[in-house]
């Protein structure tokens, strides 16, 4: 069973849901009406945070699960938790200013790459063994 990886997956989804709620709050606060996708920098940063999180989820989630299956549930969950921390740092920084999103982006990108490279390496190793 992959209980830890399942928990991290649920946390990823919860964080994404949080970013969606944040976009809605930002619309109200800044007066950006549906269906507009821009018009106020605070709203645009909130929206881009949500969309950037969504853009990374199809990279992270399969890699997370393949890593868990082929290597370790606990290690996959740990790296997945680091990815979530990176997304939170990204959210906090980007909420303040676009220039402050870099550290969070780097943390989550490195975690995603670790999951992907680890999963790929484990699959290839099994194929050639």
């Amino acid at each position: 069973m992959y209980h830890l990886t399942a928990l991290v997956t649920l946390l990823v989804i919860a964080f994404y849901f949080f970013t969606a709620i944040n976009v809605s709050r930002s619309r109200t606060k800044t007066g950006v009406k549906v269906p507009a996708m821009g018009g106020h920098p605070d709203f645009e940063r909130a929206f881009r945070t949500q969309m950037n999180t969504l853009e990374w989820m199809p990279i992270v989630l399969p890699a997370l699960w393949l890593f868990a299956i082929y290597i370790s549930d606990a290690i996959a969950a740990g790296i997945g938790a680091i990815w979530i921390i990176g997304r939170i740092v990204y959210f906090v920084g980007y909420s303040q200013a676009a220039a402050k999103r870099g550290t969070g982006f780097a943390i989550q990108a490195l975690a995603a790459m670790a999951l992907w490279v680890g999963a790929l390496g484990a699959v290839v190793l099994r194929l050639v063994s």
Side-chain angles (χ1 to χ4, degrees), residues 25-49:
R25 282 189 204 143
S26 183
R27 275 191 187 281
T28 301
K29 182 179 175 184
T30 61
V32 176
K33 304 291 182 205
V34 173
M37 301 309 293
H40 192 284
D42 291 345
F43 169 76
E44 290 171 4
R45 288 193 310 273
F47 179 71
R48 280 306 309 147
T49 299

Side-chain angles (χ1 to χ4, degrees), residues 38-99:
H40 192 284
D42 291 345
F43 169 76
E44 290 171 4
R45 288 193 310 273
F47 179 71
R48 280 306 309 147
T49 299
Q50 180 198 16
M51 288 297 100
N52 189 265
T53 302
L54 180 62
E55 291 160 3
W56 277 88
M57 287 172 67
I59 297 166
V60 169
L61 290 175
L64 173 73
W65 278 94
L66 289 168
F67 192 107
I69 292 165
Y70 281 91
I71 298 175
S72 164
D73 177 44
I75 297 171
I79 298 170
I82 292 168
W83 186 82
I84 294 169
I85 290 166
R87 294 309 308 175
I88 292 168
V89 172
Y90 180 89
F91 170 83
V92 170
Y94 208 178
S95 294
Q96 296 169 1

